[in-house]
Amino acid sequence: VGPSSIIDIASNSDNNRYSILDNKRGRIFTYDIEGHLLYISGQLGTQNNMLQGPTSVTYFGEKILVTDNVTKSIVVFEPTRFGELINSATKAYYEMDYETARVHWQEVISENSNYFLAYAGIGKTDLRRQDYKQAITNLKLGHDYYNYSKAYQEYRNQQLKKSLPFVIIVVFIATGYGL
């Protein structure tokens, strides 16, 4: 009951992700540098690898380490295959390796077709590749309305460039016969 109690924050060595620690529920929320929630780890409990009194969080490579004041221990969280794919995709995207990011995001979708950030990631790659029609589809699925608007605007401009000369010719012909 009640709001979370955020007590610590840590950034990974690549600086493309950061995690915050919620003392009240024993959860670790991991975000990308744009502030999108990537995944949630941990929980309070008395079983192995559960937190009882989390006090701090840090990264050790891809692992997340949490100190526990009650058990006087360090709990190590390793990413699952799904988490590794998300980490790889975000890292590739922020290193501007968009094709590799696209491949990883597609793998994420094959694991969980409801993970909307993967669609947004693919849509951003489509936008950079100037495949605006496909970008519109993926960005809509990814709920990325800012980039969706950019893709739609570019797609509309692309279609106008294709059809505008024909419209102008038809208007000239129609006005020429009207004189």
Side-chain angles (χ1 to χ4, degrees), residues 8 21 51 53-58 65-69 71 73-75:
D8 198 14
L21 179 62
L51 302 170
T55 54
S56 67
V57 62
T58 192
L65 308 178
V66 179
T67 58
D68 192 310
N69 194 28
T71 62
S73 63
I74 297 174
V75 180

Side-chain angles (χ1 to χ4, degrees), residues 91-161:
K91 181 178 181 183
Y93 182 79
Y94 294 118
E95 290 177 349
M96 295 184 219
D97 185 359
Y98 303 117
E99 291 307 314
T100 301
R102 180 185 182 85
V103 168
H104 290 301
W105 283 128
Q106 287 172 329
E107 290 180 57
V108 168
I109 289 172
S110 71
E111 298 255 341
N112 180 355
S113 61
N114 292 320
Y115 194 77
F116 69 89
L117 286 178
Y119 292 105
I122 292 170
K124 288 182 204 175
T125 301
D126 293 334
L127 188 59
R128 292 190 178 277
R129 292 171 44 201
Q130 298 179 347
D131 185 356
Y132 302 119
K133 189 172 185 177
Q134 193 62 43
I136 288 169
T137 301
N138 285 314
L139 291 167
K140 186 174 184 180
L141 289 170
H143 306 289
D144 185 345
Y145 300 113
Y146 175 76
N147 286 309
Y148 172 86
S149 295
K150 288 169 50 174
Y152 185 81
Q153 179 182 8
E154 291 299 325
Y155 180 71
R156 183 188 64 219
N157 291 342
Q158 195 177 54
Q159 296 305 308
L160 281 173
K161 285 178 185 176

Side-chain angles (χ1 to χ4, degrees), residues 34-97:
E34 293 179 354
H36 299 116
L37 178 62
L38 300 175
Y39 45 82
I40 303 170
S41 312
Q43 65 183 17
L44 290 178
T46 57
Q47 298 173 346
N48 284 347
N49 294 328
M50 292 182 129
L51 302 170
Q52 293 182 30
T55 54
S56 67
V57 62
T58 192
Y59 278 89
F60 185 73
E62 290 296 308
K63 297 174 183 173
I64 298 174
L65 308 178
V66 179
T67 58
D68 192 310
N69 194 28
V70 173
T71 62
K72 308 292 187 225
S73 63
I74 297 174
V75 180
V76 179
F77 291 91
E78 293 185 64
T80 61
R81 165 136 171 79
F82 186 71
E84 287 173 350
L85 289 171
I86 293 169
N87 293 346
S88 297
T90 56
K91 181 178 181 183
Y93 182 79
Y94 294 118
E95 290 177 349
M96 295 184 219
D97 185 359

